[in-house]
Amino acid sequence: MNKIMIWSDFACPYCYIGERRLKDALKELGWEEKFEISYKAFELNPEASKVASEVSIVERLARKYGLSMGEAQEKIDSIDAQGRDLGIDFRYSTARPSNTFDAHRLMKLAEARYDRDTIEKLNKNLFDAYFVRNQVLADKTVLLENALMSGLKEEDVMKTLDTDEYGPAVRRDEEEASRLGVRGVPYIVFNNKYAVPGALSIDDFKSVLKEIFDSEPIDNISGKTESCDENGCSI
């Protein structure tokens, strides 16, 4: 079984877009059963408050890159369009940034205690919570709602959220990322050998997958990649 490890954050638009493109590439190739995906935690802003930021995504982008509000909105609209091309009702401009540590802890719970279908549902629902429903991911009620929608048991979820359970597992992922020199996400590793630092197009993902499946060495990953780091997202 070929393995794919994905470092990502639920507040990263290119993480959601990149994961969906990768999975679409696997589906188009008919290789969904040939690759096992595992998710690795990466917080873009570990110091983020558990209370949603009052500063809008558009304003944050405008400040960071010295853009007008209109120019920043155009950049956000471009990201939204990429998501919608994949069938996701992306609403990035109205997302509500907050701390994502507990969301990552829930993913670790799912991976430790639940089957693959539940893990995939939780991963998707947490991304949708942020980018589609614009919920606050640091809110326990929001996390419980999305966990239950995904098939997790309430007692498991509340035990995790009310303690520090799976916190060390999140930290181990982040420490591993640091050792690997990961500075932005998504960061995708194939078969513990080949890394893609960012989101590729579906066609480029298919090319990479074919090379790996055919056991051919990959000297360079071609194609444009898009990612987010602690300083922001590619625009």
Side-chain angles (χ1 to χ4, degrees), residues 128-142:
D128 279 349
Y130 187 77
F131 288 108
V132 177
R133 296 188 292 276
N134 294 154
Q135 294 176 304
V136 180
L137 284 184
D139 187 304
K140 285 186 179 182
T141 301
V142 168

Side-chain angles (χ1 to χ4, degrees), residues 2-6 22 26 35-39 188-192 209 212:
N2 293 280
K3 297 185 181 298
I4 302 173
M5 295 188 298
I6 305 175
L22 172 59
L26 288 169
F35 289 82
E36 180 181 279
I37 298 175
S38 61
Y39 299 102
I188 306 169
V189 177
F190 299 90
N191 284 348
N192 294 311
L209 288 163
I212 294 171

Side-chain angles (χ1 to χ4, degrees), residues 219-231:
D219 295 321
N220 295 291
I221 301 297
S222 62
K224 179 183 178 183
T225 63
E226 298 164 313
S227 63
C228 300
D229 60 25
E230 61 183 3
N231 296 312

Side-chain angles (χ1 to χ4, degrees), residues 168-192:
V170 172
R171 296 303 182 214
R172 284 194 294 272
D173 282 356
E174 294 175 335
E175 288 164 5
E176 184 179 0
S178 180
R179 289 195 299 272
L180 292 172
V182 178
R183 295 291 179 266
V185 285
Y187 189 85
I188 306 169
V189 177
F190 299 90
N191 284 348
N192 294 311

